[in-house]
Amino acid sequence: MKTLPISLSAVAVLGLTACTDPAYVSGSADDRDQYRKTKNGAIIGALAGAGIAAVTDGDALMGAALGAGAGAIIGNVLDKQEAELRAQLDDEVHIENTGDRLILTLPQDILFDVDSYSVNAGLQDDLAKVASSLDKYPDSTVQILGHTDNTGSASHNQGLSERRANAVADVLLTNGVPVSRIDTIGRGEDQPIASNLDDAGRRQNRRVEIVILPTAT
């Protein structure tokens, strides 16, 4: 257990080198962004490796090093998958790469008609491309999160968010994604990302998020 602080110090050094490495300092903005995400993956992996080793009375420093390597590999895989999805999907689908997961945000105004949970035909093709990407990168699980604005009752919005998350999951399942990889969650109106006081904000809050989470192999 005494080796954990040493490992955490090593992880801190990993983080600091992101600002001093010549590749980071001299690269383009895109290069620096990719470098940052890979570093994030390495740091997350290092923390996980150190924590596991410490709990099991193992070598926390070795655990951190192995975890950092695994995290960097995950970060590189996510970078590739992100780039491919950006090239394939509609511009209205927002993609965020946090270094340890991909978050695809689909506005519900293009996914569904008002108060409906039938996926619009225009988005079926994009979801089929997401399913194909998931098949190409099988070492991940998928969370599908439905969100609404606060128009109407909270109970109605909760049910609608669940049905819409399940509808998106059904399209992925139809296109070959195993049910064991998918978890659907309805958030209702509880997690807005903008104000519900105007139409523009409510439009942002009506969304479905597909979260791609790499798994250890």
Side-chain angles (χ1 to χ4, degrees), residues 20-63:
T20 58
D21 192 296
Y24 181 87
V25 174
S26 62
S28 68
D30 288 342
D31 291 337
R32 289 195 296 271
D33 185 56
Q34 182 173 349
Y35 190 87
R36 175 186 57 78
K37 288 184 287 192
T38 301
K39 283 286 186 180
N40 285 348
I43 292 168
I44 292 166
L47 287 170
I52 292 170
V55 169
T56 58
D57 291 326
D59 187 331
L61 187 57
M62 179 64 71

